[in-house]
Amino acid sequence: MKRALLTLIAALYLCSALADNREIRVALLADLHITPQNNNDKMMPALVDEINNEHFDLVITAGDLTNRGSFAELKCAHNHLRRIKHRQITTHGNHETTWSESGGRDFKRLWGHNGCTTAKVGEYTFVAFPAGPYIKMADGTVQDSERLAWIESELSRGDKRGRVVAVCHYPLNGDITNRTEVTSLMKRYNVTASLCGHYHKPRLMNFDSLPGIIGRSLMLPKGKEHSYGYTVLTFVGDSIHISEKLIGKPAEHRYSIHQCNDSTINALKADPLPEKNHLGGFNAECIITDNAEIYTAAQRVGNILYYGNSAGEIKAYNVDSKQIIWSRKFNDPIYSTPVITNNAIVVATLSQGIVALKLDSGKTLWRNRDGNTFIGNGTFDNGYLYIGTLGSMFKIDCTTGKTIWKNSFGSGHPQAKPTVADGKLIFGAWDCHLYCIDCQSGRELWRWSNGSKNVLYSPGHSIARVAEDRVMIVAPDRYTTCLELSTGREIWRVKARKVRESTGLSSDGNIFYAKTMDGEMIAVPMNTDIYTELWCTDVGWGYDHSFCPLLCHNGVIYMANRRGKVAAVSEDGELLAVGKFANSAANDLRIDTSGNMWISFIEGIVWRLDTLNNSRQQNVNKKRE
């Protein structure tokens, strides 16, 4: 009996050892960047056929399936991937979330989930999750406490069953605002590696001692030609073997790593820890820490602060009692900053139209369902709301909720706040155009094109700055452009600095301010017939692609970056102060009637900052001396 028991134990041990050494093959696809009829789209049938003709235990698609997340692109990618016969998991990347026409809903409709998905293969559990950024150009982030709780739940289940592999389009490094929170979570469980895309070229990385494996993109430049392929991972024993597989050619081995304490990974330098917060010459106080992310401005009326969050909530927070006095829940995240009128807060939603709520109670006053999928900001002027959705601009009576007119202008989303000037509405859209519409009739007066066919260079998230008969904009194509308001005629257009989307205007309308991608602020006269810089001030934070508009108040211009910093520059170009208040991008800078500045950051926090006046500037200057 004893011998039989020992034989059984030995057999079980042998089975366990064999299971541990079972070879698991995974095809890792990333950065497909499919647009119907582009080269990547045309290569996908060959890729799918090749994968179907080989043995794989799992096929992973790690984000950036498309170029701009349109339904046509997503549907095209989905049609290709559903032909794969092997088991699959798919998550999305920044190209699906930053420029999504549907606010992320189309991906969920096609794949049946929001990017969070798992697969169990042998002793391995693969846990996939997205990291944004969502709708606005910013660093990645693993969204809100609910998503982190889901990830931890799946990691804990996998940890009990065997080894766990994380899958996320973004590398888990400094490109993610809450990266230390995520990697700490991974290290608490049996996560042996993190599979990513985003960087296009295959490589190994150190994610705070967690092995990072970057899969190649579908297309990579190779001299004057292009190569098309994917990454093959073989899990066997304690090792992961990584190969690059070009379509139609044998796989080429690139790396092998141990899943525990690999010397190759440990020798790689991890990104430095995020810089700690500091006031940097500002008087400031953190007012709100929400349990979800915030993508709207925070606006104070009286003693109440209003904002929306990624959980779909509009909240009214009493800054004196430090309590939420009311909250309204909608189906989807709120990306559009609500507009505040005399007695209402007007909320544009992704799937429930535009809703006006009473300021004091949050009760519904009216609802307008003429438009859908609002991701951009609106403008309140003379009792009317001007706000756009995909291919359309609306004028809505904020007393009754009635649509006054709808202009079907084109095909892109107008994301930035429209500008009202001289009876005209000026706005850009993600279709390479800037539009000018008559406010009274809704009739198009002119449209201007930047000449590019790449919609990602559009002025879709750029606020038009207007003074007298001049319109000035910047856009992701890095150009600063000056137009004639009355006709749309191009006065000048230059690529002198790496501008992108963040601009401001002096109180008197004479000076145009813009932030560059090199962490500089420039000042340009509005009335010049040629591009002229009055000054350029480097605030010292380096590369930046944040969308947050600049704010001018009492002769001081404020700007914010993608990693929670705020800089103040005097109207003559002197750097006055730089503080760090968060790890994520600021949404907007707003001044209340008392002169306080309110700043919301994507990670879900709101700060109050004292603005700098002349005496404050003098004190700061003395400290600097």
Side-chain angles (χ1 to χ4, degrees), residues 14 25 67 149 207 233 237 270-271 324 427 453 585:
L14 178 60
R25 294 190 80 232
N67 280 309
F207 300 151
L233 308 173
D271 280 1
I324 299 290
F427 62 92
K453 294 181 180 180

Side-chain angles (χ1 to χ4, degrees), residues 128-200:
F129 54 90
Y134 296 89
I135 301 303
K136 300 175 179 181
M137 188 70 181
D139 281 352
T141 181
V142 180
Q143 196 179 38
D144 63 48
S145 57
E146 184 177 343
R147 181 155 298 173
L148 284 168
W150 178 88
I151 293 171
E152 182 164 17
S153 173
E154 296 303 313
L155 292 179
S156 65
R157 291 181 187 180
D159 186 54
K160 295 172 184 175
R161 301 171 186 165
R163 298 180 179 182
V164 185
V165 177
V167 180
C168 179
H169 176 70
Y170 260 83
L172 303 185
N173 60 2
D175 286 348
I176 291 184
T177 60
N178 59 342
R179 145 266 186 130
T180 54
E181 185 178 9
V182 177
T183 55
S184 296
L185 179 62
M186 300 292 165
K187 288 187 285 186
R188 288 207 301 271
Y189 297 93
N190 193 23
V191 177
T192 60
S194 176
L195 311 183
C196 313
H198 196 57
Y199 288 170
H200 288 207

Side-chain angles (χ1 to χ4, degrees), residues 461-474:
H461 205 178
S462 303
I463 298 176
R465 303 297 179 178
V466 181
E468 296 184 359
D469 198 34
R470 297 294 173 90
V471 179
M472 287 180 64
I473 61 164
V474 300

Side-chain angles (χ1 to χ4, degrees), residues 13-322:
Y13 178 81
L14 178 60
C15 290
S16 175
L18 288 172
D20 287 346
N21 285 285
R22 176 195 165 194
E23 182 177 286
I24 293 175
R25 294 190 80 232
V26 174
L28 174 61
L29 314 182
D31 300 282
L32 304 180
H33 291 291
I34 294 171
T35 296
Q37 298 304 309
N38 74 352
N39 288 335
N40 289 10
D41 175 35
K42 294 173 182 177
M43 287 299 299
M44 281 299 294
L47 180 144
V48 171
D49 289 343
E50 182 171 293
I51 287 176
N52 283 339
N53 289 329
E54 292 196 27
H55 166 72
F56 288 107
D57 297 283
L58 184 67
V59 177
I60 298 172
T61 306
D64 276 9
L65 293 76
T66 67
N67 280 309
R68 57 187 183 92
S70 69
F71 180 76
E73 290 182 337
L74 286 168
K75 182 66 174 175
C76 186
H78 185 263
N79 287 341
H80 287 303
L81 293 176
R82 70 179 181 176
R83 288 185 53 240
I84 293 176
K85 298 176 181 179
H86 307 298
R87 189 176 181 187
Q88 295 186 67
I89 57 172
T90 301
T91 191
H92 46 69
N94 56 293
H95 277 256
E96 282 76 61
T97 56
T98 306
W99 294 281
S100 172
E101 294 177 349
S102 66
R105 292 183 297 141
D106 282 341
F107 181 92
K108 187 173 183 179
R109 282 193 282 260
L110 289 166
W111 274 270
H113 58 78
N114 63 358
C116 294
T117 183
T118 62
K120 180 77 166 64
V121 182
E123 66 170 332
Y124 288 86
T125 300
F126 294 84
V127 180
F129 54 90
Y134 296 89
I135 301 303
K136 300 175 179 181
M137 188 70 181
D139 281 352
T141 181
V142 180
Q143 196 179 38
D144 63 48
S145 57
E146 184 177 343
R147 181 155 298 173
L148 284 168
W150 178 88
I151 293 171
E152 182 164 17
S153 173
E154 296 303 313
L155 292 179
S156 65
R157 291 181 187 180
D159 186 54
K160 295 172 184 175
R161 301 171 186 165
R163 298 180 179 182
V164 185
V165 177
V167 180
C168 179
H169 176 70
Y170 260 83
L172 303 185
N173 60 2
D175 286 348
I176 291 184
T177 60
N178 59 342
R179 145 266 186 130
T180 54
E181 185 178 9
V182 177
T183 55
S184 296
L185 179 62
M186 300 292 165
K187 288 187 285 186
R188 288 207 301 271
Y189 297 93
N190 193 23
V191 177
T192 60
S194 176
L195 311 183
C196 313
H198 196 57
Y199 288 170
H200 288 207
K201 294 183 179 180
R203 59 188 286 197
L204 299 177
M205 297 189 71
N206 181 343
F207 300 151
D208 300 333
S209 77
L210 176 70
I213 300 172
I214 310 298
R216 65 156 284 155
S217 60
L218 172 60
M219 183 186 75
L220 274 177
K222 191 175 183 181
K224 294 183 179 181
E225 304 295 326
H226 295 100
S227 70
Y228 294 86
Y230 53 101
T231 305
V232 175
L233 308 173
T234 304
F235 296 80
V236 56
D238 285 326
S239 298
I240 305 176
H241 304 292
I242 302 126
S243 299
E244 184 177 5
K245 179 69 175 71
L246 300 186
I247 297 174
K249 296 183 180 181
E252 295 187 22
H253 178 263
R254 293 287 180 249
Y255 311 101
S256 289
I257 62 170
H258 294 291
Q259 298 184 60
C260 300
N261 195 31
D262 182 82
S263 58
T264 303
I265 297 297
N266 293 335
L268 299 174
K269 188 176 181 180
D271 280 1
L273 294 176
E275 181 183 341
K276 292 183 178 180
N277 290 353
H278 57 84
L279 298 185
F282 289 100
N283 289 327
E285 178 185 9
C286 185
I287 302 298
I288 291 173
T289 300
D290 203 288
N291 59 1
E293 292 180 331
I294 297 175
Y295 295 99
T296 75
Q299 306 168 92
R300 181 178 178 178
V301 179
N303 62 345
I304 307 300
L305 196 66
Y306 299 91
Y307 67 95
N309 68 16
S310 63
E313 299 166 320
I314 296 293
K315 294 185 176 182
Y317 178 86
N318 189 307
V319 296
D320 296 329
S321 66
K322 302 185 186 321

Side-chain angles (χ1 to χ4, degrees), residues 366-560:
W366 52 259
R367 186 186 298 267
N368 181 310
R369 292 189 179 273
D370 289 345
N372 209 344
T373 314
F374 291 97
I375 62 172
N377 293 332
T379 293
F380 177 68
D381 183 74
N382 198 29
Y384 298 100
L385 169 67
Y386 298 92
I387 191 167
T389 186
L390 184 63
S392 298
M393 179 61 65
F394 292 86
K395 178 180 181 179
I396 296 171
D397 188 321
C398 286
T399 301
T400 65
K402 179 182 177 182
T403 298
I404 304 303
W405 51 251
K406 172 185 175 181
N407 180 291
S408 298
F409 60 82
S411 60
H413 264 293
Q415 194 172 356
K417 182 179 178 181
T419 300
V420 176
D422 194 28
K424 300 176 179 65
L425 188 75
I426 305 95
F427 62 92
W430 287 106
D431 63 1
C432 300
H433 287 88
L434 187 77
Y435 295 89
C436 180
I437 291 175
D438 180 74
C439 287
Q440 185 67 28
S441 65
R443 179 176 61 88
E444 182 178 307
L445 300 176
W446 53 259
R447 66 173 64 188
W448 171 85
S449 169
N450 62 11
S452 173
K453 294 181 180 180
N454 188 341
V455 296
L456 300 186
Y457 289 163
S458 301
H461 205 178
S462 303
I463 298 176
R465 303 297 179 178
V466 181
E468 296 184 359
D469 198 34
R470 297 294 173 90
V471 179
M472 287 180 64
I473 61 164
V474 300
D477 62 0
R478 319 298 199 258
Y479 279 89
T480 306
T481 304
C482 180
L483 306 172
E484 191 174 65
L485 174 61
S486 56
T487 65
R489 178 180 65 88
E490 189 175 297
I491 299 172
W492 52 259
R493 176 169 161 80
V494 299
K495 202 172 187 177
R497 301 275 181 180
K498 292 181 183 177
V499 291
R500 188 178 175 92
E501 290 166 330
S502 301
T503 64
L505 191 64
S506 62
S507 302
D508 59 11
N510 290 330
I511 308 299
F512 173 81
Y513 301 107
K515 181 184 66 179
T516 76
M517 296 178 69
D518 294 318
E520 304 156 326
M521 184 190 295
I522 60 173
V524 177
M526 284 291 294
N527 62 355
T528 179
D529 288 333
I530 57 172
Y531 177 83
T532 305
E533 284 183 16
L534 297 176
W535 46 259
C536 175
T537 299
D538 188 342
V539 304
W541 60 42
Y543 172 78
D544 186 59
H545 55 232
S546 168
F547 55 87
C548 183
L550 277 60
L551 174 70
C552 183
H553 181 71
N554 285 344
V556 179
I557 310 97
Y558 303 88
M559 70 178 186

